[in-house]
Amino acid sequence: MREIIRLDNITAGYDGHPQIRNITLGVPERAFLGITGPNGGGKTTLLRVMLGLLRPMEGSVSYFREGRRVDSLRMGYLPQRNAIDRHFPISVYDTVLSGLCAVKRLCAPFTARHHAMVADTLRFMGIADLAARPVKALSGGQLQRVLMARALVARPEVLVLDEPDSYLDEPFKERLHGLLAQVNAHCAVIMVSHDARYIRSAARQTVCVNETLALSEDR
């Protein structure tokens, strides 16, 4: 199967200190890749390299569209919840709408199509009734769904999720499986979780990262 992302011999980290070393990994089109491993093992560092947010110390990252190399891809990113300022005065609707900023000109207004995309995504995530609510009034699970909606709204080619199952109750964790299966029909999904059991039940390929790529499993 054709690859959409290719990592070759990646070493990366912060302030000159590598968190991951010598990682080579191909992500096929329509992949559902799960990444697990111990805390501090480099899972988030690997995601940041894939997203283009962190330049590797060594190695290269390549992106492809329909088999042709391209400079970048449309990526939706759900960061870990502790990276979010919950007290920023913004509504659920505007939070999701902000996920479309990268697909319009800098000073151009949002169009009717953009607003329709937000409404569709809110319905898909089951949070349309929360649209007017400020994010600071949300529960942890509700906020996680809103942030996932923001990652999805621009119809990404790759959806990258860092611990999306955090703060979700068990019923919604099960529903998340179904939602991600629907998303995966249209784009590649890359998901990090510290819960190896959960991620193996959701992903089709699982890798364990503990500084290096320790294990790869397919199902």
Side-chain angles (χ1 to χ4, degrees):
M1 185 179 293
R2 296 184 303 195
E3 293 178 345
I4 193 167
I5 301 175
R6 178 74 187 174
L7 308 181
D8 286 300
N9 299 311
I10 294 293
T11 294
Y14 310 93
D15 300 323
H17 301 290
Q19 298 291 311
I20 55 175
R21 299 175 185 271
N22 303 320
I23 288 183
T24 293
L25 178 66
V27 181
E29 295 174 345
R30 305 289 190 273
F32 194 142
L33 174 66
I35 301 173
T36 190
N39 290 336
K43 302 185 298 295
T44 296
T45 300
L46 179 60
L47 286 193
R48 289 177 59 81
V49 170
M50 288 181 172
L51 287 160
L53 299 175
L54 179 64
R55 183 186 294 273
M57 299 171 179
E58 298 177 12
S60 62
V61 184
S62 304
Y63 304 114
F64 301 90
R65 181 179 294 119
E66 297 179 350
R68 294 187 294 273
R69 187 165 179 169
V70 294
D71 292 333
S72 63
L73 298 166
R74 285 192 322 279
M75 293 197 189
Y77 178 40
L78 173 68
Q80 290 188 33
R81 180 174 170 267
N82 59 13
I84 304 302
D85 180 3
R86 293 204 56 175
H87 299 290
F88 189 77
I90 189 171
S91 70
V92 166
Y93 188 94
D94 287 338
T95 298
V96 179
L97 185 64
S98 71
L100 293 169
C101 288
V103 298
K104 71 177 187 67
R105 294 193 307 277
L106 182 61
C107 296
F110 290 106
T111 65
R113 178 174 173 271
H114 292 142
H115 287 287
M117 291 167 72
V118 172
D120 287 346
T121 306
L122 289 171
R123 283 193 294 270
F124 177 72
M125 290 302 301
I127 52 174
D129 59 324
L130 301 178
R133 190 173 297 184
V135 294
K136 65 182 180 181
L138 301 177
S139 69
Q142 288 170 333
L143 178 61
Q144 200 76 326
R145 284 189 254 180
V146 170
L147 298 176
M148 195 174 304
R150 184 181 67 176
L152 283 171
V153 68
R155 311 299 190 263
E157 295 169 278
V158 182
L159 177 64
V160 180
L161 308 169
D162 197 351
E163 304 282 2
D165 49 318
S166 298
Y167 307 99
L168 298 181
D169 57 28
E170 287 303 321
F172 192 77
K173 279 189 178 185
E174 293 306 315
R175 186 175 171 215
L176 180 62
H177 275 220
L179 291 173
L180 291 178
Q182 293 179 59
V183 171
N184 190 215
H186 305 284
C187 75
V189 175
I190 301 170
M191 181 169 74
V192 157
S193 177
H194 66 279
D195 186 340
R197 180 198 60 80
Y198 179 76
I199 208 164
R200 288 186 180 113
S201 70
R204 292 199 304 273
Q205 181 187 12
T206 306
V207 296
C208 181
V209 177
N210 187 9
E211 190 174 335
T212 60
L213 205 61
L215 177 69
S216 180
E217 298 177 357
D218 297 292
R219 68 172 179 86

